[in-house]
Amino acid sequence: MHPVVKLVTQRLALGLLLMLAVSALIFFGVEALPGDTAQAMLGQSATPEALANLREKMGLNEPVLWRYGHWLYGFLTGDMGVALTNGEDIAKSVGARLGNTLFLAFWAALISVPLAILLGLLAARYNGRWPDRLISGVTLATISLPEFVAGYLVLYFLAVKLQLLPAMSMVFPGMGVFERLQAIMLPVIVLVMVVLAHMMRMTRAAILNVMQSDYIETAKLKGLSPLTVIWRHAFPNAIAPVVNVVMLNLAYLVVGVVVVEVVFVYPGMGQYLVDHVTKRDLPVVQACGMIFAAVYIGLNILADVVSILANPRLRHPK
Amino acid sequence: MRRIPLSALLGLILTGGFFFVAIFAQLIAPYKMDELVGGVWDPISTTHWLGTDSIGRDLLTRMIYGAQVTIFVATCSTILSFVTGSVLGFLAATAGGWVDQALSRFIDLIMAIPTLIFSLVILTAVDVTTLNLILVMGFLDSTRVFRLSRAVAVDITVMDYVEAARLRGEKQGWIIFSEILPNALSPLVAELGLRFIFAVLFISTLSFLGLGVQPPLADWGGLVKENSAGLVYGIPAALAPAIAIAALAISVNLVADWVLSRTTSLKGGRGA
């Protein structure tokens, strides 16, 4: 078998195994915690009858392994059970919201990735001089901002003081694409701010690392202009680490989305998850947690696969 | 003693200031924590330097007590994370074999789930108390410390002096605390600042989501949440605690950067 195919298959198999283990951790981890889930949901003042009822409803009296199998099978076949608080079908609620969240994350990624690579290239080109210092200083500041702080700063200045954009990101079915885009503008700006800094710093570091190689020295001595050296010689060799960083940050975006959605009251997965943590609705939280973890792991696997494919040493077997 | 760079000095002074305020909050605060002293969201005045909050409490007082809660929770969870993470990391590195494999793979598994998501799942099942928050944050964060301390210790365990200690029959615990710990200290200290920042941001985020420190106590994240409704009407009260979080994170970052560059130059390796 071609070594690349073998490596990629191995990585995919490992990823599937990891997801299985994660599902077990999310299921049994809650199980192993001290205290009774039903008790925690109802509070200390619950009557024994109410407790027994809830335990019956949640199926807590069944053996734990059977429940895990049932849960996992349901999850894979698209049946995530019903929410404890309102009896709604979880898969249905998730389906509607997942689209909204992906729409938000997609636009944030579309803007932040090219911008981060461009800024990283610029900072590497002017390494140590003022454009580099300026870019690095600003990104250091944005790294120290938690998502919700960035969110409120943007909201206060852009939406309230300057009245440029709507403060709430209401979207509903049947909305036009353009209106939808205008509604998500603020959360997208915040998400871009949050991931841009990290992505740009790593791009800069990856390129500076390559810039120390001998072939860069040669290219410089040939008399090529600095930007041509970076674009033609340094960047192609920095692609693997850069792609890796981009993927890791997209995975991070998935988590950042949770907080940003709450700030802007955006009807996505993050808001749904946080609402149901507050209501202690365990089935919903486990389902959402599993979906977030699966996306996160999926992007990490993708990052590995892309860096395997981008490595020319593996493409031509000896 | 070399000169301290300006940025690090600034960071040190600010960080020291925040800790001072946190420790002596009860003495500094001009009012009581839950005392109603004015109207809803009064503007900045000489009696209320930052105005009042969503139900008429002095915002500066709330911020000072908030500093105490935020820094207390973050410090406790950082200590917990360091003790657990480094002990397990050193153990994995010195014991090797299946102990190392089992611990490392288990940590990999936990790190495969985003920290915020995992903590939300746990906080659904347990009561949200300050103690539980510290435990959840500390244990989840210890995975990062484990990775670092194991990596550092693996390099040290192959040194001759560790071999010598083993041959003269020292016990595992002695090797960890007397041979490995002193030599692994400097990278761990540099990491300490970063873990502390992470803990501050994490507890603030949880409180902001309403799943962190519970009323009547409030940390900075909780204060942002309490006052966020006013933002839409142009009342900036929520921005004060938000800026405080960022200021604390940036000042600790400046100190951590300086410690990191000092320790790496001490070891003569890595460089910039």
Side-chain angles (χ1 to χ4, degrees), chain A residues 144-145 152 160 255 280 285 296, chain B residues 112 114 124 126-127 228 231 246 250:
Chain A
S144 305
L145 289 180
Y152 279 128
V160 179
V255 184
R280 296 179 162 280
V285 174
Y296 186 77
Chain B
T124 315
V126 300
D127 287 327
S228 61
L231 277 178
I250 291 174

Side-chain angles (χ1 to χ4, degrees), chain A residues 18 21-22 25-26 30 33-34 36-37 40 44 140-141 143-149 152-153 155-157 160-161 167-168 255 258-259 262-263 273-274 276-278 280-282 285-286 288-289 292-293 296-297, chain B residues 106 108-114 116-118 120-128 144 201 204-205 208-211 220-221 224-225 228 231-236 238-239 241-243 245-246 249-250 253-254 257:
Chain A
L18 187 63
V22 163
L25 187 63
I26 286 182
V30 173
L33 286 171
D36 183 358
T37 321
Q44 292 302 326
L140 182 69
I143 279 180
S144 305
L145 289 180
E147 295 89 350
F148 70 94
V149 171
Y152 279 128
L153 285 175
L155 184 139
Y156 184 70
F157 288 108
V160 179
K161 284 283 142 177
M168 302 276 171
V255 184
V258 174
V259 180
V262 175
V263 171
L273 171 62
V274 171
H276 286 82
V277 175
T278 321
R280 296 179 162 280
D281 196 329
L282 197 57
V285 174
Q286 279 176 330
C288 290
F292 274 112
Y296 186 77
I297 296 171
Chain B
F106 182 64
D108 283 351
L109 176 60
I110 294 182
M111 287 180 83
I113 308 175
L116 180 67
I117 305 293
F118 200 19
L120 289 183
V121 174
I122 298 175
L123 288 175
T124 315
V126 300
D127 287 327
V128 183
R144 265 82 182 168
L201 300 186
S204 305
T205 302
F208 166 71
L209 294 175
L211 301 161
W220 286 339
V224 174
K225 180 186 162 71
S228 61
L231 277 178
V232 188
Y233 308 109
I235 298 158
L239 294 185
I243 291 169
I245 296 167
I250 291 174
N253 221 330
L254 290 175
D257 268 0

Side-chain angles (χ1 to χ4, degrees), chain A residues 136-261:
Chain A
S136 300
V138 172
T139 51
L140 182 69
T142 52
I143 279 180
S144 305
L145 289 180
E147 295 89 350
F148 70 94
V149 171
Y152 279 128
L153 285 175
V154 169
L155 184 139
Y156 184 70
F157 288 108
L158 290 187
V160 179
K161 284 283 142 177
L162 300 175
Q163 311 255 329
L164 289 178
L165 294 159
M168 302 276 171
S169 304
M170 295 306 207
V171 292
F172 39 84
M175 209 175 175
V177 173
F178 183 72
E179 287 170 313
R180 214 174 249 264
L181 276 179
Q182 197 190 5
I184 65 162
M185 199 85 93
L186 278 183
V188 165
I189 292 175
V190 175
L191 284 174
V192 168
M193 265 172 76
V194 170
V195 290
L196 184 68
H198 198 234
M199 240 187 307
M200 177 252 134
R201 284 168 84 94
M202 302 285 272
T203 309
R204 173 179 174 272
I207 290 178
L208 284 182
N209 198 17
V210 173
M211 290 296 273
Q212 288 168 353
S213 321
D214 289 340
Y215 56 85
I216 298 293
E217 194 70 33
T218 314
K220 275 186 197 158
L221 292 176
K222 273 198 304 194
L224 296 182
S225 78
L227 272 183
T228 321
V229 172
I230 291 183
W231 186 246
R232 293 285 305 277
H233 297 270
F235 188 63
N237 289 293
I239 278 189
V242 169
V243 165
N244 223 335
V245 169
V246 167
M247 288 298 169
L248 291 182
N249 276 282
L250 292 187
Y252 182 77
L253 205 64
V254 173
V255 184
V257 138
V258 174
V259 180
V260 172
E261 279 178 7

Side-chain angles (χ1 to χ4, degrees), chain B residues 36-53:
Chain B
L36 295 177
V37 292
V40 172
W41 283 316
D42 277 349
I44 292 171
S45 63
T46 44
T47 44
H48 305 294
W49 290 1
L50 291 175
T52 57
D53 77 350

